[in-house]
Amino acid sequence: MNSTIAEDIKKVIDMGDSLPSNVVIGGLKHVTVVEGKEGEFESLFKELAAEVRKQDKRCNYYDLYKSEQPRNYIVMEQYEDKEALQMHQKSEHGQRYFPKLRERIENMDVTYYVCVTPLNST
């Protein structure tokens, strides 16, 4: 049974609930984009990333990497703590962009980590 976009997004948000509170949190999302939607996905992600950098002051890092493998990407993100991740997930810009991005995603595997070496975006 296929889940809806809203259910998929909720699953990702729920994953963050079990993380420890006062540590730096990193996320890796392995994404396969629907064939022919790569350009749309990249454009939407660039718009979202600009909003994240402007609005999510406790997000240290938020970038998209394109694989040599067709349609495959990695989203790397890092937050000062669990609360910062949750604020990002529930942000106005997230609510605007996450469903649009998810419509262009065929498959997404998400894993969150406790960061050993915090980074900062420049």
Side-chain angles (χ1 to χ4, degrees):
M1 178 178 186
N2 289 337
S3 58
T4 67
I5 291 168
E7 289 170 334
D8 286 349
I9 293 169
K10 184 179 180 327
K11 284 179 195 172
V12 172
I13 290 171
D14 289 347
M15 288 177 70
D17 287 341
S18 63
L19 295 167
S21 294
N22 295 316
V23 295
V24 176
I25 301 296
L28 283 178
K29 295 178 176 135
H30 295 264
V31 177
T32 304
V33 174
V34 173
E35 190 170 349
K37 300 292 183 179
E38 299 90 341
E40 293 173 25
F41 175 80
E42 290 175 22
S43 293
L44 285 167
F45 190 91
K46 286 178 187 176
E47 291 175 23
L48 172 59
E51 287 295 316
V52 168
R53 289 184 182 104
K54 188 177 1 173
Q55 305 288 335
D56 294 352
K57 299 301 182 195
R58 294 171 54 212
C59 176
N60 297 336
Y61 193 82
Y62 197 78
D63 282 309
L64 178 68
Y65 293 84
K66 184 176 183 176
S67 172
E68 292 179 352
Q69 303 294 324
R71 305 185 302 126
N72 287 292
Y73 298 82
I74 292 178
V75 175
M76 293 176 57
E77 55 192 330
Q78 187 182 93
Y79 302 89
E80 290 181 12
D81 54 30
K82 179 169 90 171
E83 181 184 41
L85 169 62
Q86 290 171 330
M87 288 172 53
H88 164 74
Q89 291 173 325
K90 296 173 184 173
S91 67
E92 183 180 318
H93 50 276
Q95 300 307 307
R96 197 168 55 247
Y97 282 98
F98 297 155
K100 292 176 186 179
L101 285 163
R102 190 63 186 100
E103 288 174 356
R104 290 152 177 87
I105 294 173
E106 182 176 299
N107 186 48
M108 180 170 64
D109 293 316
V110 180
T111 307
Y112 290 110
Y113 300 89
V114 172
C115 291
V116 176
T117 308
L119 302 172
N120 288 316
S121 249
T122 55

